[in-house]
Amino acid sequence: MVSTMPTSPQLKPNDQTLAEYTEEVRQAKPRVINWYRTKLSREEMKACHKRSDLLGAAQTLGFLAVLVATASLALYSFYHLPWWCTLLALFLHGTVSWFQVNAVHELIHGTVFKTRWLNEAFAYLFAFYGWNNHLHFAESHQRHHRYTLHPPEDLEVTLPIRFVIRDFFRSGFITPQYFKNAFRATVRYMVGRFEGEWEKTLYPESAKDARRRTRRWAWCMYSGHLLILVVSTWMGWWLVPVLITFNGMYGGWLFFLCNSTQHIGLCDEAPDFRLCCRTFTVNAVVQFLYWHMNYHIEHHMYAAVPCYRLERLHRAIKHDLPPIPHGIIATWKEIAMIQDIQKDDPDYQHAQAIPERSVAKS
């Protein structure tokens, strides 16, 4: 299923560093990966890909309304209720806020709204809210979809991924490192400093326009949040920066449990999204907050399908998918089993059971 252009390097030689190999790939023609996709009828394909400003608004404005509601609850509690109520309200707000990452992700795909500028406008809004340089993310993410888990063309996600229980507690409750990392990255982009093999691949010296756009947005985020801090301090609105500028520093537990499932423990270098992506089902509230990304095989298989149509796509191709766990607990039990095996066999990758009648042939 993977066809490699004649001028592309094959496998990395044992005596070659990843940096050297990445540079070699950058200079060569990219690989062409013939991904397996479950066939859909023309009618179903059209229905699944149909974009809607109304449904896009329901998802986007609905999510924004939840953010405003939790922020308002925290503000009310701050002035009228005991301190512990404010802490609970803040934690609830943080729990919802973390999913701005998924909002930005969907909006940069340009599929949420039928009207293009609405996707762009809300992408900027949520990206600002979460210190997310979505222009950088867009550069990275298009490669992630084209070469999912095929390094070095995709270094957005690389295997193996290893999580232990302390990672959940370190990332799920109080996370000052999120703001520190986001702030440092913003400052780097402001001065045009792109580091590491992946960023140098995304932003070669010749990509002056892309570098300029990313720098400009970094300056906008920095200036906007600085203005929020200055005005809030001047007016005595002490909780406002906590709700906006520092919202990523607390409450990430549910996002961690959802978002970390997408590729962990699965196969890299596989030309089949059913082997390198994980789908699970979950209740409607979490699915809404997660922007329907629990349907992750479906999202990679047909990346142009709007998030609110992924459940329909799932029903259409369910017969061709591996067994799908229901709920976050069942999903993490499966991941824990894989990671237990990887303790003894670090090279182990879990190949999800694919229906025999549809196994992709090379």
Side-chain angles (χ1 to χ4, degrees):
M1 290 294 292
V2 179
S3 61
T4 307
M5 300 297 289
T7 55
S8 293
Q10 301 293 318
L11 297 177
K12 180 175 77 68
N14 292 332
D15 60 347
Q16 189 179 33
T17 67
L18 178 60
E20 292 170 338
Y21 180 54
T22 303
E23 180 61 28
E24 186 178 338
V25 170
R26 189 187 300 133
Q27 299 298 328
K29 293 181 180 179
R31 282 190 285 184
V32 177
I33 302 173
N34 297 319
W35 289 104
Y36 174 84
R37 288 180 172 85
T38 305
K39 292 183 178 179
L40 295 171
S41 68
R42 180 175 297 179
E43 294 76 14
E44 193 64 36
M45 180 78 78
K46 184 177 180 180
C48 286
H49 282 82
K50 186 177 181 181
R51 302 175 190 178
S52 166
D53 283 343
L54 180 61
L55 293 178
Q59 174 66 46
T60 306
L61 297 181
F63 180 71
L64 187 59
V66 175
L67 283 176
V68 172
T70 55
S72 299
L73 178 62
L75 284 169
Y76 178 85
S77 178
F78 183 71
Y79 291 107
H80 298 95
L81 299 177
W83 63 268
W84 59 268
C85 293
T86 303
L87 289 181
L88 289 176
L90 275 175
F91 192 74
L92 177 62
H93 178 69
T95 299
V96 175
S97 293
W98 268 85
F99 288 100
Q100 58 78 22
V101 174
N102 302 107
V104 171
H105 166 263
E106 287 305 296
L107 290 159
I108 66 169
H109 270 280
T111 58
V112 179
F113 292 95
K114 182 178 181 180
T115 302
R116 180 177 176 178
W117 71 265
L118 288 172
N119 290 299
E120 295 176 354
F122 281 104
Y124 275 102
L125 174 65
F126 287 118
F128 175 82
Y129 179 71
W131 286 87
N132 190 330
N133 199 307
H134 64 298
L135 302 176
H136 176 282
F137 182 37
E139 293 286 342
S140 172
H141 200 64
Q142 64 178 337
R143 288 173 176 260
H144 173 59
H145 270 272
R146 187 180 302 168
Y147 303 110
T148 307
L149 270 64
H150 283 72
E153 289 91 347
D154 173 26
L155 294 180
E156 182 175 291
V157 177
T158 57
L159 298 181
I161 301 170
R162 179 71 184 164
F163 286 130
V164 294
I165 293 178
R166 69 171 176 269
D167 293 319
F168 169 67
F169 287 102
R170 187 168 53 201
S171 302
F173 297 92
I174 305 297
T175 50
Q177 68 270 22
Y178 174 86
F179 175 76
K180 181 177 71 174
N181 293 340
F183 182 78
R184 285 180 174 176
T186 299
V187 172
R188 278 200 300 108
Y189 300 149
M190 286 167 60
V191 298
R193 193 168 79 245
F194 298 90
E195 298 177 347
E197 292 304 319
W198 189 228
E199 287 188 359
K200 290 176 182 177
T201 299
L202 300 176
Y203 292 97
E205 292 291 340
S206 59
K208 297 186 184 300
D209 288 343
R211 285 182 169 227
R212 188 180 301 112
R213 288 193 299 270
T214 301
R215 286 184 64 184
R216 187 183 302 128
W217 176 239
W219 274 102
C220 288
M221 283 197 297
Y222 180 86
S223 302
H225 283 289
L226 180 61
L227 181 62
I228 289 171
L229 286 170
V230 170
V231 173
S232 298
T233 302
W234 181 266
M235 300 297 295
W237 300 336
W238 309 114
L239 202 63
V240 170
V242 179
L243 293 169
I244 301 176
T245 300
F246 304 112
N247 69 81
M249 292 178 62
Y250 51 91
W253 67 280
L254 185 57
F255 172 82
F256 178 95
L257 291 175
C258 291
N259 213 63
S260 302
T261 63
Q262 295 175 357
H263 305 285
I264 184 173
L266 302 179
C267 300
D268 58 9
E269 297 284 355
D272 192 327
F273 295 118
R274 300 171 301 173
L275 295 176
C276 60
C277 304
R278 178 180 285 104
T279 282
F280 65 98
T281 55
V282 73
N283 68 70
V285 173
V286 175
Q287 181 170 308
F288 169 78
L289 292 175
Y290 190 28
W291 287 67
H292 309 271
M293 280 299 100
N294 52 295
Y295 296 115
H296 212 65
I297 296 174
E298 296 82 348
H299 171 63
H300 272 259
M301 192 177 283
Y302 289 102
V305 171
C307 62
Y308 43 78
R309 306 263 189 221
L310 287 175
E311 188 168 1
R312 174 171 184 154
L313 176 60
H314 172 75
R315 292 195 299 267
I317 68 173
K318 186 176 180 181
H319 65 280
D320 201 27
L321 297 179
I324 304 300
H326 176 68
I328 293 174
I329 294 176
T331 303
W332 277 96
K333 281 183 177 180
E334 178 183 280
I335 293 170
M337 176 202 69
I338 296 169
Q339 297 218 314
D340 281 344
I341 297 174
Q342 289 177 334
K343 286 180 182 178
D344 299 322
D345 181 5
D347 295 326
Y348 174 76
Q349 295 185 333
H350 181 66
Q352 301 188 101
I354 296 173
E356 289 186 8
R357 62 182 178 277
S358 66
V359 172
K361 296 181 180 180
S362 301

